[in-house]
C-alpha cells in the first residue's frame, strides 16, 4: 500500500489536470444534464426541445466555466476573455446538439432524456481538447 501511495504522490503533478478534469467534468455533466432534465420536465409541453436545451446550456455553462477555471485549469487571462474562449469551445457543441436532439427525437423511439445522455458522452473528449488547448491555454511567451 505504501508503494502505491508513493507512486501516486510522485505522479500526481503530472496527471492532476486530467484527473481533475474527469472529476469536475463529471460534476459539470451532472449539472448540465440535471438542468436539462428539470427544464424539460417542466417545460416540454410549452417549449420546443431546442429552446429548453438552450436555456439549460445557459445555466450549466456558467457552472462549467467557474469549476474548470478554478479547479482544473490555472487562470491565465482576464475572466471575461477566458469565458468568451470557453464559449467558443462549447457553442459549436451546442449547435450540433441543437440539430441532433430534434432529429433524434423525430427519427428514433428514444426519449429526450436518453438522447441527451448519449450526446453528452460524445462531447467529453472534444471539450477537453478545446478547453486545454484553446479556452484555458497559457499565452505564448511572445504575448
Amino acid at each position: 500500500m505504501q508503494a502505491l501511495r508513493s507512486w501516486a504522490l510522485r505522479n500526481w503533478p503530472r496527471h492532476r489536470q486530467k484527473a481533475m478534469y474527469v472529476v469536475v467534468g463529471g460534476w459539470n455533466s451532472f449539472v448540465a444534464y440535471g438542468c436539462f432534465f428539470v427544464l424539460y420536465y417542466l417545460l416540454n409541453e410549452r417549449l420546443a426541445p431546442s429552446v429548453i436545451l438552450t436555456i439549460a446550456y445557459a445555466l450549466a455553462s456558467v457552472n462549467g466555466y467557474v469549476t474548470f477555471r478554478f479547479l482544473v485549469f490555472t487562470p491565465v487571462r482576464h475572466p471575461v476573455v477566458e469565458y468568451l474562449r470557453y464559449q467558443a469551445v462549447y457553442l459549436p457543441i451546442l449547435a450540433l446538439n441543437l440539430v441532433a436532439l430534434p432529429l433524434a427525437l423525430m427519427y428514433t423511439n428514444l426519449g429526450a432524456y436518453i438522447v441527451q445522455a448519449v450526446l453528452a458522452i460524445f462531447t467529453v473528449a472534444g471539450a477537453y481538447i478545446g478547453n486545454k488547448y484553446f479556452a484555458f491555454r497559457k499565452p505564448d511567451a511572445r504575448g
Side-chain angles (χ1 to χ4, degrees):
M1 191 63 155
Q2 182 62 28
L4 179 61
R5 184 175 188 277
S6 295
W7 179 88
L9 290 174
R10 187 173 55 250
N11 289 298
W12 176 249
R14 189 170 17 155
H15 298 292
R16 178 202 167 279
Q17 189 178 71
K18 291 179 194 102
M20 289 300 294
Y21 186 85
V22 169
V23 172
V24 173
W27 167 255
N28 290 342
S29 295
F30 175 78
V31 169
Y33 187 77
C35 286
F36 177 78
F37 187 96
V38 170
L39 290 171
Y40 190 81
Y41 179 79
L42 295 173
L43 302 172
N44 76 18
E45 299 287 325
R46 290 173 262 174
L47 297 174
S50 296
V51 174
I52 295 168
L53 180 62
T54 303
I55 296 167
Y57 171 80
L59 296 171
S61 71
V62 173
N63 170 76
Y65 168 71
V66 170
T67 56
F68 280 142
R69 184 171 200 267
F70 292 107
L71 299 177
V72 179
F73 301 103
T74 305
V76 294
R77 290 182 179 82
H78 189 276
V80 173
V81 172
E82 279 186 347
Y83 184 72
L84 293 174
R85 291 170 68 96
Y86 175 85
Q87 290 301 336
V89 170
Y90 282 94
L91 285 174
I93 294 170
L94 174 64
L96 289 172
N97 203 345
L98 288 171
V99 171
L101 176 62
L103 289 176
L105 292 175
M106 190 181 310
Y107 294 110
T108 70
N109 292 329
L110 299 174
Y113 302 117
I114 299 296
V115 171
Q116 276 308 108
V118 170
L119 292 172
I121 293 168
F122 291 103
T123 65
V124 173
Y128 175 75
I129 292 166
N131 281 321
K132 180 173 176 63
Y133 296 108
F134 179 71
F136 298 102
R137 182 190 63 173
K138 292 183 170 84
D140 294 337
R142 293 172 273 150

